[in-house]
Amino acid sequence: MKKVKGFTLIELVVVIVILATLAAVALPRFTSLQRDARIAKLNAARGAVTAASALVHSTLLARNGQADTNVCPNTGITANNNTSVCSESGVITVANAYPAVTAFGTAGILSAAGLTTIFNPTQTQLQAEGYDYVVSGSDATFEVIGGPTPANCSFIYTQAVPNAAPAISGITTSGC
């Protein structure tokens, strides 16, 4: 007589119950990791904006009011020490010796921070990297998209005023 080998119905049901229990426990933790990743990305963007602002300012201080005499890469123009500074990738617009808040198409704090591999990204290119950038007057809001409320997964860079550094807010994570 030939003996048939295989799983019994009870064994299959037990395995399915164990897998369902693991999925129920693991899924909330996986969701939490996505939120943690968005918060980490937001912190990294804030750090990049802070560092870019300090680097542009220190470049202007080191030049001590002397305009850059070399043509900036990829532009064919020479930066003016009062309104722009040359970077390795191109010209960055400045205001009060710090990167300016500019709209898409003009390199300012967004381009200086280097959140994408493209020097002066479009909104579509920036969103492909998981960020958004909203300008309102002299404020630029940097958002990490992907959470339930991207506007509440953000921080604000306020353009420098005379004799003061730009203000960079703390991060808002309630929408991450």
Side-chain angles (χ1 to χ4, degrees), residues 9-175:
L9 183 59
I10 292 175
E11 290 171 327
L12 290 174
V13 169
V14 169
V15 168
I16 291 171
V17 168
I18 290 171
L19 290 175
T21 304
L22 288 174
V25 171
L27 187 60
R29 183 65 187 143
F30 176 69
T31 303
S32 178
L33 288 177
Q34 288 180 341
R35 181 176 188 278
D36 292 347
R38 284 189 290 275
I39 292 170
K41 186 173 189 165
L42 183 62
N43 277 318
R46 187 177 184 279
V49 166
T50 302
S53 177
L55 285 170
V56 167
H57 184 65
S58 64
T59 298
L60 291 172
L61 288 176
R63 290 198 179 132
N64 196 23
Q66 299 298 313
D68 196 347
T69 57
N70 297 323
V71 174
C72 295
N74 306 319
T75 64
I77 63 173
T78 303
N80 173 332
N81 218 29
N82 297 324
T83 59
S84 59
V85 67
C86 231
S87 73
E88 292 176 343
S89 301
V91 177
I92 297 171
T93 304
V94 297
N96 300 308
Y98 287 94
V101 170
T102 58
F104 287 100
T106 304
I109 187 59
L110 174 63
S111 297
L115 299 179
T116 69
T117 57
I118 300 161
F119 174 66
N120 194 7
T122 64
Q123 188 169 21
T124 303
Q125 291 166 330
L126 186 64
Q127 287 175 343
E129 296 290 334
Y131 296 103
D132 206 356
Y133 174 78
V134 180
V135 174
S136 176
S138 62
D139 291 342
T141 303
F142 290 82
E143 301 173 356
V144 172
I145 55 179
T149 315
N152 291 331
C153 188
S154 62
F155 68 91
I156 299 171
Y157 174 90
T158 302
Q159 185 171 290
V161 295
N163 302 315
I168 302 173
S169 73
I171 62 171
T172 302
T173 60
S174 59

